[in-house]
Amino acid sequence: MATRSIKEVARLARVSVGTVSNVLNRPEIVAPATRARVFDAIRELGFVRNEVARHLRVGRSRTVGLVVLDVANPFFADVAQGAEALADEHDTMVVLCNSGTDPNRERRHLDQLEQQRVMGILITPVDAGSPRLADLAARGTPVVLVDSAATGLQCSVAVDDRLGGQIAAAHLIEQGHRRIAFVGGPPSIKQVADRRAGAAGAVEAASGVELLDASMPMLSAAAGRAAGERVAALPPAERPTAAFCANDLLALGFLQAMAACGLRVPGDMAIVGYDDIDFAAAAAVPLSSVRQPRELLGRTAVELLLEEVAHPERHRHRQVIFQPDLVVRESSALRRRD
Amino acid sequence: MATRSIKEVARLARVSVGTVSNVLNRPEIVAPATRARVFDAIRELGFVRNEVARHLRVGRSRTVGLVVLDVANPFFADVAQGAEALADEHDTMVVLCNSGTDPNRERRHLDQLEQQRVMGILITPVDAGSPRLADLAARGTPVVLVDSAATGLQCSVAVDDRLGGQIAAAHLIEQGHRRIAFVGGPPSIKQVADRRAGAAGAVEAASGVELLDASMPMLSAAAGRAAGERVAALPPAERPTAAFCANDLLALGFLQAMAACGLRVPGDMAIVGYDDIDFAAAAAVPLSSVRQPRELLGRTAVELLLEEVAHPERHRHRQVIFQPDLVVRESSALRRRD
DNA sequence: ACTGCAGCTTGAGTCGATTCAAAACGATCT
DNA sequence: AGATCGTTTTGAATCGACTCAAGCTGCAGT
C-alpha cells in the first residue's frame, strides 16, 4: 500500500517523470539542483524503484536461475556460492531452485523461470536429453548445463566424469581389490552414468576384476545406507571388498552402514566417494574422494551465461571441461595382505 | 526475440486480447470452440505468459525471498527445503539468498528483493535490530524472522536458543566438566548470543564451573579448527575439558583440530554442537548436538508469511517458538574419572 | 415481432518505469 | 533585439497482461 511510484516523486519534486527516471539512470545529465530536489523527494517518500516495471520496459532481467539436483548436497551449495559470487559482481541475483532429481519439479521450475523472463538458466538436469531445454533456448532463454557436458546446442561446464570414475576404480584395483561395487543413483543422470562408465573402463582394462552394481534410486546418505546394508548382507565370499560411490553423500551413508553391520573400513571394505565435499574429510573414517572444482563450476557457468547474453549474435557455444583428481584418505588406504 | 505476446496469440486465433487473457485465467467462461482455437494458437506460437507484465498489473508476486547466513551450512539448506516444500504447494517460488553473515551483502539482497516486489521476505538476520527490517515492513513487504525471535513488530519462527544453550551446558556439567569453552561466532548474531547466555545460566547455577569464551568471527568449520588449535595450545592445567560450539560446523572443525593436536575426544575434550545436521552423526567421533526442527522452521516461516499476505488487515504478528532437544552421542560420553 | 436475458466477446484504460523527439531555457554573440 | 547553440526538461508512447463496462448474439417467452 505504501508503495510510492516515480510519479509521486515527480509531483513532490515538481519535475516530470522523465526527469526522475533520468536521476535514477543517468544522474549526470540532470542539473545538480534538480537532482538534489529529486533525491530529497525520494528520501522523503521512501521511494523504492519497481524493478518489475523496469524489467517489463527494458526487457532484460537481472536474475539468473540455477536449478540443482539437491540443495541439501553441499556440493551444490558450493556450486551455488561460486555462481553467486560472480553474479554479484554483475549486480545479478541467483535464484536457487531444487529439483530433487524429480523431472516434474524440474519442469515446474523451468516453466516458472521462463515465465519470469530470467536472463538465463544454469541447470544440472535430471535428464540432459530432455527437449524442454532445447525449447527454452529456441524461445530465447539461454541455458548453460552445469556439471554435465552439452553437445553443442548450448554452453556447458563440466568435470570429466569418465576420467573421475576411471581414476577412482584404478586406485581401488591398484590396492588389490578384485570385486568392486558401484553405488550409483538414477541412471538417467548423466554424471552417474559417466562415472560408472569410467569405472567400468578401468575394470575391463585390468584382468580378473569385477564391477558389481549396487545402485539406488536416490543420491542421498539414506540411499547410501540402504545400499551398504544390502552389500553387507551378502555372504562374505560374494561380497565386494571395495565400493565406489557416485557421490559423497552415498559414500557417507555407505560408511555408516558398514559401521552398523560391523564391517571395518577400509579393512573389510574400502570406500571411495565423489565430489570431495568438506564433510568427507571429517567423516568417521576420512573418506577418499574424487575432487571437483566446485565453486569454479558455478562461477564459470555464470561467466558463460553473461558472455552469451552480452553478445548473442557473435556467441558460439562452448563446452568447458575441468579435470578431477583423487584425494586418497584412510577409507581406501592400502589393503592388508592376509 | 522469439518471445510471443498475448497480442500475437489473439491475432492468430482471431479473437481479442481480452479473450486470450480469459482463456489463461478463467477458461470456464470462454466458449469451448474459442478456447480450443486459442489453445491451438498458443501451442503453435510457443507462447509463454510473461509473468513480469502480469505481476506489474496485478501487483502481487508469487515469489518469496529467503535470506540465510550461510548456504553452505546444511542447517540452512534444510530450512530452505522446508520453506520450498510449502511454497511449492502454493505455486510460489523461493529465492534463496546468502548473506554470509555480511551486513552489506544482506542489505544488497534486501534492496534487490524489495525492488522486485517479492511477496515477502524470510530472513535470518545478521543483526535482528537493524532498522532496515522495520522499514521493509513499513513500506509493505512483510518480513518473517527465521530462527530468531521477534519483538512484536513482525512474525517470527524460532527455537528457544537459551534453552538449547542451557541443556547443552547442563549436560556437560553433569558429565563432570568444570572448565567449559564456548565456541561462538559474531556476537551480533542473536542465536549465538542466546546460546551463550543459556550456557552461562547453566554454569552459574552450578558452582565451581567456569565458562571460557573461544569465539571466532565466523561460523564455519575453518573457524572451528582455528578455535580448536587455540584451545589445544593452552597449558593442560588451564585448558577446558569440554567445548560447547554454537553450531555443528564449528564443532566439526573443532573436532578435527583436536585430532590434529593429539587430544582425544571425548577423553581429553568433550564436544557438544548445535543444529544436529546430518553430518554430525557421521563425524569421526559422532557428535552430540542440540537438535532443532529444521524443515519445520522453514515451513512454518512460509506459513506465517502466507497468512499475513492473505489477510493483511486482520493479521496479528505471531512468534512461534519450538523446543530444542539434546542428542547425546560419543563426543560427550561419560567422562572417565581418573 | 418484440422484449428480456444469459452467455460471450470486445477493447480501451491501467500498472510503473523508460525512451526520445521536441520544447523550453539561458547564456553568448551580432 | 534577435539569432544561435548547448543544456535541461518535458510528456506522450511503450512494454505485455489484466479488468470491466459495454456491446453483441441468439434464444425463450409473450
Side-chain angles (χ1 to χ4, degrees):
Chain A
M1 53 175 59
T3 300
R4 309 341 195 119
S5 77
I6 212 181
K7 215 182 284 178
E8 301 182 53
V9 174
R11 177 150 15 117
L12 183 60
R14 320 243 237 93
V15 296
S16 70
V17 295
T19 298
V20 178
S21 178
N22 283 334
V23 169
L24 257 26
N25 299 299
R26 284 115 69 211
E28 70 282 1
I29 73 160
V30 177
T34 315
R35 200 193 308 155
R37 236 166 53 236
V38 172
F39 277 132
D40 286 348
I42 287 177
R43 200 163 327 110
E44 187 168 336
L45 292 173
F47 166 80
V48 174
R49 191 220 239 104
N50 186 329
E51 179 63 31
V52 177
R54 176 194 173 81
H55 174 185
L56 173 61
R57 184 61 236 258
V58 308
R60 265 216 323 158
S61 161
R62 301 233 112 277
T63 85
V64 318
L66 170 58
V67 185
V68 302
L69 294 172
D70 180 10
V71 258
N73 183 341
F75 169 74
F76 288 112
D78 291 341
V79 171
Q81 267 192 312
E84 223 210 322
L86 183 55
D88 214 51
E89 293 171 22
H90 294 261
D91 252 337
T92 297
M93 288 194 88
V94 174
V95 180
L96 188 54
C97 303
N98 185 28
S99 70
T101 71
D102 173 350
N104 293 318
R105 286 182 62 188
E106 176 179 290
R107 191 179 36 69
R108 279 213 307 282
H109 278 128
L110 291 176
D111 286 351
Q112 290 204 63
L113 291 170
E114 189 178 15
Q115 289 179 13
Q116 311 253 16
R117 298 293 192 273
V118 293
M119 173 198 256
I121 295 178
L122 316 178
I123 182 173
T124 303
V126 177
D127 170 8
S130 157
R132 188 75 184 76
L133 295 175
D135 286 358
L136 276 173
R139 282 198 293 261
T141 303
V143 173
V144 175
L145 298 188
V146 178
D147 195 31
S148 165
T151 52
L153 295 150
Q154 55 240 320
C155 284
S156 67
V157 232
V159 175
D160 188 337
D161 282 314
R162 292 184 81 102
L163 177 58
Q166 191 202 306
I167 57 182
H171 163 69
L172 289 171
I173 292 168
E174 200 195 345
Q175 302 285 16
H177 297 284
R178 290 297 169 261
R179 295 173 68 79
I180 302 176
F182 174 75
V183 183
S188 78
I189 296 178
K190 196 154 178 311
Q191 292 90 308
V192 174
D194 284 353
R195 288 166 200 180
R196 188 187 199 298
V203 163
E204 274 163 37
S207 60
V209 182
E210 278 183 285
L211 190 67
L212 294 85
D213 200 285
S215 289
M216 305 297 296
M218 300 275 296
L219 285 164
S220 62
R225 274 192 293 276
E229 283 158 17
R230 238 174 48 197
V231 169
L234 293 172
E238 289 176 33
R239 192 161 58 216
T241 59
F244 167 43
C245 301
N247 78 13
D248 281 347
L249 294 185
L250 286 170
L252 287 170
F254 198 91
L255 173 62
Q256 287 180 286
M258 293 305 108
C261 299
L263 293 177
R264 288 159 310 155
V265 174
D268 299 318
M269 179 73 66
I271 302 179
V272 173
Y274 210 108
D275 291 344
D276 193 31
I277 61 177
D278 289 341
F279 298 102
V285 179
L287 211 60
S288 298
S289 191
V290 179
R291 176 168 53 196
Q292 316 198 59
R294 299 166 254 138
E295 287 89 354
L296 188 57
L297 276 174
R299 176 171 264 276
T300 309
V302 171
E303 193 176 317
L304 290 176
L305 180 65
L306 291 174
E307 210 174 281
E308 177 164 359
V309 170
H311 312 289
E313 65 300 333
R314 79 163 123 102
H315 176 81
R316 300 227 40 205
H317 294 312
R318 288 203 288 147
Q319 280 76 47
V320 177
I321 300 203
F322 296 107
Q323 301 299 313
D325 53 13
L326 180 68
V327 182
V328 178
R329 299 201 183 85
E330 201 182 319
S331 73
S332 68
L334 200 58
R335 204 183 170 206
R336 295 184 314 265
R337 300 254 156 218
D338 45 328
Chain B
M1 54 173 61
T3 301
R4 302 354 191 110
S5 78
I6 214 184
K7 214 183 283 178
E8 300 182 54
V9 173
R11 176 150 17 117
L12 182 60
R14 319 239 239 98
V15 296
S16 71
V17 294
T19 298
V20 178
S21 180
N22 283 335
V23 169
L24 257 26
N25 299 301
R26 286 114 69 212
E28 69 283 0
I29 73 160
V30 178
T34 315
R35 199 193 309 153
R37 235 164 57 234
V38 171
F39 277 133
D40 286 349
I42 287 177
R43 201 164 325 112
E44 188 170 335
L45 292 174
F47 166 79
V48 175
R49 189 220 241 106
N50 186 330
E51 179 65 28
V52 178
R54 176 195 173 81
H55 175 186
L56 173 61
R57 185 60 235 263
V58 309
R60 266 215 324 156
S61 161
R62 302 232 112 276
T63 85
V64 319
L66 170 57
V67 185
V68 302
L69 294 172
D70 179 10
V71 258
N73 184 341
F75 169 75
F76 288 111
D78 291 341
V79 171
Q81 265 190 315
E84 223 211 323
L86 183 56
D88 214 51
E89 293 171 22
H90 294 261
D91 253 337
T92 296
M93 288 194 90
V94 175
V95 180
L96 188 54
C97 303
N98 185 29
S99 70
T101 71
D102 173 349
N104 292 318
R105 285 181 63 187
E106 177 180 290
R107 191 178 37 69
R108 278 213 309 281
H109 278 129
L110 291 176
D111 287 351
Q112 289 204 64
L113 291 170
E114 188 178 15
Q115 289 178 13
Q116 311 253 13
R117 298 293 192 272
V118 293
M119 172 198 259
I121 295 178
L122 317 178
I123 180 171
T124 302
V126 178
D127 170 8
S130 157
R132 189 74 185 76
L133 295 175
D135 286 357
L136 275 173
R139 282 197 293 259
T141 303
V143 173
V144 176
L145 297 189
V146 178
D147 195 31
S148 166
T151 51
L153 296 150
Q154 55 238 323
C155 285
S156 67
V157 234
V159 175
D160 188 336
D161 281 315
R162 292 184 82 101
L163 177 57
Q166 191 201 306
I167 57 182
H171 163 69
L172 289 171
I173 294 168
E174 200 196 345
Q175 302 284 15
H177 297 284
R178 291 295 168 264
R179 296 174 68 80
I180 302 176
F182 174 75
V183 183
S188 77
I189 297 180
K190 194 152 179 309
Q191 291 91 309
V192 174
D194 285 353
R195 289 167 199 179
R196 187 184 200 301
V203 163
E204 275 164 36
S207 61
V209 182
E210 277 185 285
L211 190 67
L212 295 85
D213 199 285
S215 289
M216 305 297 295
M218 301 274 295
L219 285 163
S220 62
R225 272 193 294 276
E229 283 158 17
R230 237 175 46 196
V231 169
L234 293 173
E238 289 177 34
R239 192 163 56 215
T241 61
F244 167 43
C245 301
N247 78 13
D248 281 347
L249 294 185
L250 285 171
L252 287 170
F254 197 91
L255 173 61
Q256 287 180 285
M258 292 304 109
C261 299
L263 293 178
R264 287 158 310 154
V265 174
D268 299 318
M269 178 74 65
I271 302 178
V272 173
Y274 210 108
D275 292 344
D276 193 31
I277 61 177
D278 289 340
F279 298 101
V285 180
L287 211 59
S288 298
S289 192
V290 178
R291 177 169 52 196
Q292 317 198 58
R294 299 166 253 136
E295 286 89 354
L296 189 57
L297 276 174
R299 177 171 262 278
T300 308
V302 171
E303 195 176 315
L304 290 176
L305 180 65
L306 290 173
E307 212 173 281
E308 177 163 359
V309 171
H311 312 289
E313 66 300 335
R314 79 163 124 100
H315 176 81
R316 303 227 36 204
H317 293 311
R318 290 202 286 145
Q319 280 75 46
V320 177
I321 301 205
F322 296 107
Q323 302 299 313
D325 52 12
L326 180 68
V327 181
V328 177
R329 299 202 182 85
E330 203 182 316
S331 74
S332 68
L334 200 57
R335 201 179 172 211
R336 291 186 314 266
R337 303 251 155 219
D338 47 324

